Amino acid sequence: MNKEEEVNIVIGGDIYPKGQMESHFINGDASKIFNDTLSIIENSDYTVVNLECPLVNSETPILKDGYNLRADTRTTNGIKSSGINAVNLSNNHILDHGEQGLKSTLKIL
C-alpha cells in the first residue's frame, strides 16, 4: 500500500457528555471538549468513539444496581462538530433507560 492509499482511522474511548462538559457538548464547542486532541480527530479519515450512555431528555431509569447514565439529546452537537464519524453503543449503559432510551439514542444519532 502506498502513501496515497493509506487511511487514517482513530478509535477513541468512552464519551460521556455530562457534568462539566455538558454545556460544551450542547453548544457544539469541540475545541473545549477535546482541546489539543481535536487535531487528531480532524486529521483522521474516520473517527469512532464509544458513547457511554443513552441520549434521552427525561429521567426514565431502569431498576438496577449501580448508576443509570444518560445525557441530553442536544449533546450530539459536540459529537458532530468535532468530526466524529460514528459512535459505538455496545456498552453496559446503553439500556440504562430501557428500550425507549435506546430508541431515542438511535433516532437522534
Side-chain angles (χ1 to χ4, degrees):
M1 179 178 281
N2 64 41
K3 182 78 173 162
E4 294 167 1
E5 295 172 339
E6 288 182 9
V7 176
N8 182 344
I9 299 172
V10 172
I11 300 173
D14 295 350
I15 289 183
Y16 179 50
K18 283 291 275 191
Q20 295 176 299
M21 302 307 290
E22 183 175 31
S23 64
H24 299 308
F25 274 95
I26 290 172
N27 294 329
D29 193 349
S31 63
K32 288 193 176 163
I33 298 166
F34 296 101
N35 297 307
D36 56 344
T37 60
L38 181 59
S39 63
I40 296 169
I41 296 169
E42 291 174 333
N43 291 316
S44 72
D45 296 307
Y46 202 82
T47 300
V48 181
V49 297
N50 178 54
L51 180 60
E52 187 64 12
C53 63
L55 303 175
V56 296
N57 289 330
S58 58
E59 288 289 339
T60 56
I62 62 167
L63 183 60
K64 70 173 209 166
D65 289 332
Y67 295 104
N68 291 82
L69 302 184
R70 73 167 194 85
D72 189 295
T73 58
R74 297 173 295 165
T75 58
T76 56
N77 295 332
I79 296 168
K80 292 174 185 175
S81 69
S82 69
I84 292 171
N85 304 97
V87 296
N88 167 56
L89 302 177
S90 298
N91 60 64
N92 60 314
H93 289 286
I94 195 59
L95 292 174
D96 278 4
H97 289 262
E99 186 178 337
Q100 285 306 110
L102 176 59
K103 287 180 179 180
S104 171
T105 304
L106 292 171
K107 181 178 178 181
I108 195 68
L109 290 173

